[in-house]
Amino acid sequence: MNFYRPLHYVCGEYVFMTDANSFSRFSALMVQNGFNFWGTRYGDCGVSFCVSVISAERISRLASVAEIPLEIAARRGLPFVFSRYRKRYGMLLGLAVGLVLLFWSQLFAWKITVSGNIEIKTSEIERALEECGISVGCFIPRIDTVNDANRLLMNCHGLSSAALSINGTHIYLSVLERKEIPEIYSQSGFFNVVALRDGVIIDVDAANGTPEVKEGEVVYAGELLINSFIVGKNGCYRPTHARGKVYAAVSESFDIEIPLSRVTKNITGNTQTRCIYTVLGKEMPSLTGGESDYEYFDAVVTERTVKLFGFIELPIRVKQIFYSEYIPITRSLSEAEAECYAYGELDACIAEVDLELLSCESYFITDKEKGVCKLVANAVFKQDIAKEVPFEILNYSISERLESALE
């Protein structure tokens, strides 16, 4: 690799051409006068060689004095590129404006990177950061990293620590999420554990207190499950703070109605795409504004960052909206289709309960007079029905009890 080639391109070089018979004598003259030349090539038309821009004029005079034929074959390098466009004032003005805009854009944030969050979504942190005046396109010299980080902690209560740093046009935010204080079981006071709702006992795990129910027993809401009183070493009963988990099989009923007529989508096949460009956080005006011409449509939105040469990120975001047209039509459902929809809604209802499903019994009926199908289901879930209830022990003496009894 010729390491001088980039230097020759920056400084510029002339390519001269002379005949083969005169080159040997002329090369000796150039060496005697201290001129450097390189890139000698022999061809059918003669011999070509390269010289620097500084020595080109003197080499031309030397050839004229020595009566050696010499002509310029080519001019290469940046000086000749600039001289070629020196009279194109519009291009020079555009270059100057582009350089000014490039410098001006360095004063604004191009990208924000959030790290350290696990439970809290990045979009939520970015919204809280935007309330502090920091977003893509904000003026970097106005950012106070310490004060703005403290303001972020006040806006986003799920964070316990935040650190802002700026690297060029890139803002980095490193956060730590707030950890909730673990539940502390109080040992003070006296509590019984009672049933929160009706059910069939599956398992009793008493952390403190005396269990009053066994596996397989039916209990009702409010019934005692774990007794606060426990037997001491001397056979005496003493109250305590009873607690534990009591799992029971509980029932839930679901009534789901599905109309036999339903509005569905008839896809027409017509589509259109709209693009919205955002530069430094500011949306650029467009003729369509990103809105669709269809009355009824489905939309799919994608967003990406424009990259120069595939890897240089620019502060330009492109939001692409793909619209697909449909026409709403009303059609009748068969019993099989209605049953399928009903069981789909039943699965969604069971998922909302968020408990372990033990069993589910259901039956499906059709009421053609009302134009509906009905799904009736009875599901059995496993649930912790333990509920701690406080109580007080009144300290009455025996004489006070006798006096109240005689009265």
Side-chain angles (χ1 to χ4, degrees):
M1 178 179 178
N2 187 359
F3 294 98
Y4 289 100
R5 182 174 298 176
L7 181 62
H8 295 156
Y9 180 78
V10 173
C11 298
E13 62 182 5
Y14 277 86
V15 180
F16 285 116
M17 179 75 70
T18 186
D19 58 82
N21 296 327
S22 302
F23 177 72
S24 58
R25 186 167 64 91
F26 188 61
S27 62
L29 289 174
M30 287 190 293
V31 173
Q32 290 176 3
N33 288 271
F35 295 124
N36 294 325
F37 62 94
W38 57 88
T40 304
R41 292 184 180 180
Y42 288 85
D44 297 336
C45 298
V47 181
S48 64
F49 59 94
C50 303
V51 298
S52 66
V53 175
I54 299 174
S55 59
E57 185 176 354
R58 288 181 294 170
I59 290 175
S60 297
R61 287 200 299 266
L62 179 63
S64 178
V65 171
E67 297 182 353
I68 295 175
L70 188 68
E71 61 180 7
I72 300 174
R75 298 178 179 87
R76 295 187 298 211
L78 289 179
F80 302 108
V81 174
F82 292 141
S83 63
R84 189 184 307 166
Y85 298 103
R86 66 183 183 276
K87 294 184 179 181
R88 299 187 180 182
Y89 302 110
M91 181 177 294
L92 295 177
L93 179 61
L95 179 61
V97 172
L99 292 175
V100 172
L101 291 178
L102 181 61
F103 171 76
W104 179 252
S105 66
Q106 301 298 309
L107 301 177
F108 298 89
W110 287 24
K111 186 178 180 181
I112 298 176
T113 300
V114 181
S115 62
N117 56 312
I118 300 175
E119 299 294 335
I120 304 177
K121 295 181 179 179
T122 302
S123 58
E124 182 179 348
I125 298 177
E126 289 178 347
R127 284 195 297 269
L129 198 61
E130 190 173 356
E131 293 178 2
C132 301
I134 299 176
S135 61
V136 175
C138 67
F139 194 54
I140 292 179
R142 293 181 180 177
I143 298 176
D144 188 337
T145 56
V146 177
N147 291 335
D148 290 335
N150 293 332
R151 291 172 59 194
L152 174 64
L153 294 179
M154 291 187 290
N155 290 341
C156 191
H157 301 289
L159 300 179
S160 64
S161 175
L164 276 170
S165 61
I166 303 173
N167 184 8
T169 59
H170 197 160
I171 298 177
Y172 294 91
L173 174 63
S174 179
V175 299
L176 290 177
E177 295 180 348
R178 190 180 303 277
K179 300 297 182 181
E180 299 295 335
I181 300 175
E183 184 179 359
I184 300 175
Y185 293 100
S186 175
Q187 302 293 334
S188 62
F190 305 116
F191 287 81
N192 284 324
V193 177
V194 301
L196 181 65
R197 57 184 299 183
D198 302 345
V200 179
I201 300 299
I202 297 176
D203 184 29
V204 180
D205 183 11
N208 202 6
T210 304
E212 295 293 336
V213 292
K214 298 179 181 178
E215 181 180 346
E217 293 185 1
V218 177
V219 296
Y220 300 96
E223 186 174 339
L224 182 63
L225 301 178
I226 302 177
N227 196 341
S228 172
F229 288 88
I230 59 175
V231 181
K233 295 181 179 180
N234 299 325
C236 299
Y237 289 89
R238 62 180 179 86
T240 184
H241 186 145
R243 65 176 185 270
K245 294 184 179 294
V246 181
Y247 292 98
V250 298
S251 298
E252 288 282 354
S253 298
F254 301 97
D255 293 331
I256 300 172
E257 288 189 355
I258 302 295
L260 289 176
S261 60
R262 172 166 292 199
V263 177
T264 59
K265 299 177 181 179
N266 182 23
I267 306 298
T268 63
N270 298 329
T271 60
Q272 59 183 192
T273 303
R274 296 284 187 263
C275 291
I276 301 176
Y277 294 89
T278 304
V279 179
L280 289 174
K282 306 296 182 181
E283 184 175 323
M284 296 292 99
S286 61
L287 297 177
T288 59
E291 298 181 357
S292 174
D293 299 330
Y294 305 138
E295 183 178 3
Y296 301 98
F297 56 84
D298 291 325
V300 178
V301 181
T302 57
E303 193 170 357
R304 63 180 179 87
T305 301
V306 176
K307 294 183 179 181
L308 186 64
F309 306 120
F311 63 94
I312 301 177
E313 291 190 3
L314 299 178
I316 304 175
R317 300 280 296 175
V318 180
K319 181 186 290 183
Q320 192 174 45
I321 310 174
F322 180 79
Y323 294 101
S324 177
E325 186 186 26
Y326 69 85
I327 298 175
I329 58 173
T330 303
R331 70 181 186 89
S332 299
L333 299 179
S334 63
E335 291 187 13
E337 290 176 321
E339 185 175 1
C340 182
Y341 283 121
Y343 277 105
E345 292 191 14
L346 177 61
D347 292 338
C349 293
I350 291 175
E352 289 181 1
V353 176
D354 196 20
L355 292 174
E356 181 182 348
L357 179 65
L358 300 178
S359 64
C360 183
E361 296 180 355
S362 61
Y363 61 91
F364 188 78
I365 57 176
T366 302
D367 190 347
K368 293 185 178 181
E369 294 182 359
K370 294 183 178 180
V372 296
C373 292
K374 189 174 184 180
L375 177 64
V376 180
N378 184 26
V380 179
F381 298 95
K382 181 180 179 181
Q383 182 182 4
D384 179 16
I385 62 172
K387 178 184 178 182
E388 296 182 8
V389 177
F391 67 92
E392 295 182 1
I393 298 178
L394 301 179
N395 188 17
Y396 287 129
S397 63
I398 297 177
S399 59
E400 290 176 346
R401 294 182 182 179
L402 290 176
E403 290 176 0
S404 61
L406 290 174
E407 292 177 359

